[in-house]
Amino acid sequence: MLYSTFPTTPDLLFCNLRGTISKQLRPGRQEDAHEFLRYLLDAFQMSALKHEKKKTTIVHKIWGGYLRSQVKCCACGKESNTYDSILDLSLEMKDCSVTEALKHFTAKESLEGNNKYFCKQCNTLQKAIKQLTIFEPPNVLVLHLKRFQYESERESSRLRDITSTKINRFVSFDSELDITSL
């Protein structure tokens, strides 16, 4: 066991973390566990990239995965796929279970009206269906459960105020999560 004759204060610990992990950390600011984890993983990633000289590091081998965003034109059926690497998923907690929040995250969304999709095959704006899926799941899935709900109030055509409400409800989750069925 390591002992020290000097007292350890939170300020000293904080300064060391700030210098090592992220300059974004500020004393007196509320930093949640998700932000801290992201700063920590980013610091691990930068350190690994310096030493490994590879694109894929141990950070991405453990926590990394890929999301697929697919847009399908309703007129011609042409599909457009983009892939993004992830280290975590941020879930809106509108429902009371992680499984339902994941279903909401991967639900199909209709792009229509002012939000139509420009289809390159049709060469015009078209109604389309967009869906996010977990294309390649990470070995360790980190879920960030959003605990705040933001609403904006409008005063005529200008944004007047943005209010936040903390979500204080029980969230259920199973001991196992089958993300292949989403």
Side-chain angles (χ1 to χ4, degrees), residues 3-22:
Y3 292 99
S4 173
T5 57
F6 299 103
T8 302
T9 64
D11 292 335
L12 180 61
L13 177 64
F14 186 83
C15 286
N16 286 331
L17 288 176
R18 184 169 181 234
T20 306
I21 295 176
S22 175

Side-chain angles (χ1 to χ4, degrees), residues 93-104:
M93 292 313 299
K94 294 178 181 178
D95 303 300
C96 294
S97 79
V98 170
T99 304
E100 288 303 312
L102 276 166
K103 285 179 184 175
H104 178 71

Side-chain angles (χ1 to χ4, degrees), residues 80-126:
S80 172
N81 294 305
T82 56
Y83 301 87
D84 293 307
S85 66
I86 59 165
L87 292 175
D88 62 5
L89 290 178
S90 291
L91 301 177
E92 302 270 343
M93 292 313 299
K94 294 178 181 178
D95 303 300
C96 294
S97 79
V98 170
T99 304
E100 288 303 312
L102 276 166
K103 285 179 184 175
H104 178 71
F105 182 82
T106 59
K108 291 180 180 180
E109 174 187 354
S110 182
L111 303 177
E112 55 190 45
N114 290 336
N115 197 24
K116 283 185 177 179
Y117 168 72
F118 183 82
C119 176
K120 290 181 182 177
Q121 186 151 325
C122 298
N123 201 28
T124 186
L125 292 174
Q126 294 288 356

Side-chain angles (χ1 to χ4, degrees), residues 25-67:
L25 294 172
R26 299 271 187 254
R29 272 185 42 199
Q30 180 179 342
E31 306 286 346
D32 68 11
H34 177 248
E35 288 174 298
F36 180 77
L37 177 65
R38 287 308 309 256
Y39 291 144
L40 185 64
L41 291 178
D42 288 345
F44 285 165
Q45 174 74 349
M46 294 305 290
S47 177
L49 285 172
K50 286 179 189 174
H51 299 315
E52 293 183 21
K53 305 290 186 214
K54 297 177 189 173
K55 271 191 161 182
T56 302
T57 65
I58 190 70
V59 173
H60 277 273
K61 287 178 183 174
I62 296 172
W63 292 283
Y66 286 92
L67 285 182

Side-chain angles (χ1 to χ4, degrees), residues 71-79 117 119 122 126-129:
V71 180
K72 184 175 182 178
C73 177
C74 293
C76 69
K78 173 86 172 145
E79 294 177 352
Y117 168 72
C119 176
C122 298
Q126 294 288 356
K127 182 179 174 184
I129 303 297

